[in-house]
Amino acid sequence: MTTLLIVDGANVVGSVPDGWWRDRRGAAERLRDRLAPLAEAGVAGRPGPLEIVLVVEGAARGVDSVPGVTVDAAPGSGDDRIVELVAASPGRDRLVVTADRELRRRVAEHGAEVTGPRTVRPGA
């Protein structure tokens, strides 16, 4: 079974002060497009193929999925949605990309591993 890579879109986008706040949806689309090649290539310690889910919230909702990346628009809190996705996949290799300490704790309680934004966004 492939690794499920869940990306905290708001946290990863916000990890680099590149003007993302002027166009949150555009920033989420750029992140999605950076993630797509990783579905086949993999990330450090997790060779491809990967199942990638990018969780977006707020003004970033409405971003479409592309081959290799499923975009999940959280109906409320993105963090809560990420925890739901992790909890729904017990026994599966799950890697969550975030720097949010509280979210890290919450997903670890469900057996997921966590890595920082640099894993998918060099320079973060």
Side-chain angles (χ1 to χ4, degrees):
M1 186 176 294
T2 60
T3 296
L4 176 59
L5 181 75
I6 303 171
V7 180
D8 180 352
N11 187 267
V12 174
V13 164
S15 67
V16 176
D18 62 359
W20 58 264
W21 51 90
R22 291 187 294 266
D23 180 11
R24 292 170 193 252
R25 183 175 174 169
E29 289 170 340
R30 289 188 296 278
L31 175 58
R32 175 205 60 201
D33 295 346
R34 276 191 217 104
L35 293 171
L38 301 178
E40 288 302 318
V43 296
R46 299 294 201 298
L50 304 173
E51 178 184 348
I52 300 176
V53 178
L54 171 61
V55 176
V56 297
E57 62 188 356
R61 288 187 189 101
V63 173
D64 293 326
S65 296
V66 296
V69 181
T70 299
V71 179
D72 187 314
S77 160
D79 290 1
D80 290 346
R81 180 63 183 142
I82 291 167
V83 173
E84 289 171 4
L85 291 169
V86 167
S89 302
R92 184 170 183 192
D93 183 33
R94 297 152 298 165
L95 181 63
V96 176
V97 181
T98 188
D100 181 310
R101 288 183 186 171
E102 177 62 15
L103 179 58
R104 286 173 168 256
R105 183 194 63 74
R106 290 175 66 194
V107 299
E109 288 177 354
H110 292 281
E113 291 185 51
V114 183
T115 190
R118 286 189 179 124
T119 302
V120 298
R121 188 169 184 184

